[in-house]
Every structure is written in C-alpha cells, then in structure tokens.
Amino acid sequence: MTRKLLHFILAIAVLLSVSALAQNGIAAAPSVPTPAATNTKIGIINIQEAIFASNEGRRDFEALNKKFEPKQSELQTINKEIDDLKKQLTAQGDKLNEDAKSVQVRQIEQKQKSLQRSYEDAQAEFQGQQNEILNRIGQKLLGVLDKYAKDNGYTLILDVSSQQSPVLWAGPSSNVTEPIVNAYNAQSGVPAPASSRPVRPSSGVTRPGGATAKPATPSSTTAKPGAPAPQKPAGTTPK
C-alpha cells in the first residue's frame, strides 16, 4: 500500500513539473511587435528651375543676357574679320611670296589668339555674374523652403535638380517647386517681367565658330570655383 501511494505521489509530481514548464515556456515566448504608425511626409523640389522661374530670377537673368549682347556682337565681328583674312589668303594663293604669306598667317594667328582671350574673359565674367545671381536668390529661396516645409509638416524635401539625384520616381503631388516659387514671389515683391518667355540657363557668350560653353548651374547642385555656395539657414529641412 505504501509502495502504491509512493508511485501515485511521484506521478503527480511529474505532471506538475510538465505543467510548470509549459506555463513558463508560454510566458517566455516573445510577443510580436505591432508596427508603429508613421507620419513621414516627403517632397521634392527642382531648385534650379525654381530660381529661374521666380520673378526675380527671370528679371535678373534677362538683364544679364542683354548686358552681354554687345560683347557677343563684338566677338562675332572679330571672327568674321578672321574668316575674311583666311579667304583672302586662300584666294591669292601662289600670287604671294613666302614673306607676304608669313605676314598674313601671323596676322591671322594673332587675331585668333586675341579673339580666344576675349571670349574666355567674357565667358568668365558672364558665369561669375550668373553665379552671383544664382547664389543670391538661392540663399533666400532656401529660407522660403524652410518655412514652407515646417508649416506643411514635411519631414524631408529632396532636390532633384541634378541628374545624379537619387530620386527615381515621385508623384506630382510631392513636387513643391511651384508653391515655393509662388511663396518666394510673394515675399520678394518683384513683379512678373513683361515677357512671358521662361528663362533657362544660358551659356552667355557663344564661342566663335559656333561651339558654346556649358551653362552655370545653381550651387545647390554643383559648386562653382570662386563662387560661395548658398548656406542653409538654421533648421532648414535638408535637401
């Protein structure tokens, strides 16, 4: 009888141990976290387009292009003189002796060198003034962007001006370029120019012979030698 009672007590102990292990195992099982709701709002902006589309940008870039029109005409005139000298040298052919040919060749070479220097100087001056406009407007535009982003609850606004932009696709509703331009125009107080023609980046001075140098771009996309990049105001949403 005692032996049967002992076996019964041992069986009860085993069952209690198994039950305790099962309960502990269930209690120790990690709970699956519930994904937290996010309120991330992301937008895109084409800073370069915004600068050129603003009333101030259109006004200043049109004035800059007009300012360099006389220099462009001057370079074209010099280039035509060189072409005429070359034609004259070719037409005279064997009628000129070696000394006369050498004189005309040197004259053409000197004019070509002078033309190239004048072109490079004019192009450097144009790009320098264009960069100044880009940076001046860009600095103020970033301040408008900062306020707009905060007022409208944006977490991030990306600049898609550059071809190296990491943005592969974005819906039209995420593009804040137009509202930023409108807000900037309202803040600047600059009226819209009389011309409705949109302004685009200009090479400024055409290289004699038809080739043109690459136009300058805003510092928000690429840095310019000798031109300071616009600094973002404190707390500006990163581009």
Side-chain angles (χ1 to χ4, degrees):
M1 185 72 177
T2 303
R3 182 174 296 178
K4 290 183 178 180
L5 179 60
L6 179 61
H7 287 167
F8 178 76
I9 294 173
L10 289 174
I12 293 297
V14 170
L15 289 174
L16 290 174
S17 298
V18 172
S19 176
L21 286 173
Q23 290 177 0
N24 289 337
I26 293 173
S31 59
V32 179
T34 303
T38 59
N39 295 318
T40 303
K41 188 176 181 181
I42 299 176
I44 61 170
I45 184 172
N46 188 321
I47 288 290
Q48 177 175 326
E49 180 181 321
I51 292 174
F52 280 94
S54 67
N55 292 344
E56 186 177 354
R58 291 170 59 191
R59 180 196 66 187
D60 291 355
F61 287 116
E62 286 177 2
L64 179 63
N65 290 333
K66 193 170 188 63
K67 176 181 178 180
F68 276 82
E69 285 178 358
K71 173 58 70 174
Q72 183 69 67
S73 299
E74 177 187 334
L75 294 175
Q76 290 174 347
T77 299
I78 298 173
N79 190 58
K80 185 177 183 306
E81 291 175 359
I82 294 173
D83 287 341
D84 291 342
L85 287 174
K86 288 179 179 179
K87 292 177 182 178
Q88 181 181 344
L89 180 61
T90 301
Q92 290 177 342
D94 297 335
K95 297 177 183 178
L96 297 175
N97 57 37
E98 291 302 320
D99 290 340
K101 282 185 180 180
S102 296
V103 169
Q104 287 202 13
V105 168
R106 284 197 299 271
Q107 183 181 6
I108 292 172
E109 290 176 347
Q110 289 173 356
K111 280 186 172 291
Q112 285 178 325
K113 290 178 181 179
S114 176
L115 175 61
Q116 182 63 23
R117 284 195 298 268
S118 296
Y119 162 74
E120 292 174 354
D121 290 345
Q123 184 66 10
E125 183 180 357
F126 177 87
Q127 289 187 343
Q129 294 186 33
Q130 180 170 254
N131 288 340
E132 187 278 326
I133 297 172
L134 289 166
N135 287 313
R136 170 169 47 81
I137 297 178
Q139 294 245 9
K140 294 184 286 185
L141 193 68
L142 288 176
V144 173
L145 176 62
D146 178 56
K147 184 179 185 305
Y148 180 88
K150 291 175 180 176
D151 290 347
N152 291 274
Y154 280 91
T155 305
L156 182 68
I157 295 182
L158 300 170
D159 180 19
V160 295
S161 298
S162 172
Q163 292 182 349
Q164 286 73 42
S165 168
V167 179
L168 298 180
W169 182 90
S173 62
S174 65
N175 193 335
V176 301
T177 303
E178 184 175 352
I180 292 298
V181 170
N182 293 337
Y184 183 81
N185 288 339
Q187 176 179 290
S188 69
V190 177
S195 172
S196 60
R197 180 172 53 89
V199 178
R200 289 290 178 264
S202 171
S203 60
V205 182
T206 304
R207 184 187 300 274
T212 58
K214 293 181 180 179
T217 54
S219 296
S220 59
T221 53
T222 55
K224 322 298 179 308
Q231 300 298 313
K232 291 186 289 185
T236 299
T237 303
K239 297 191 294 86

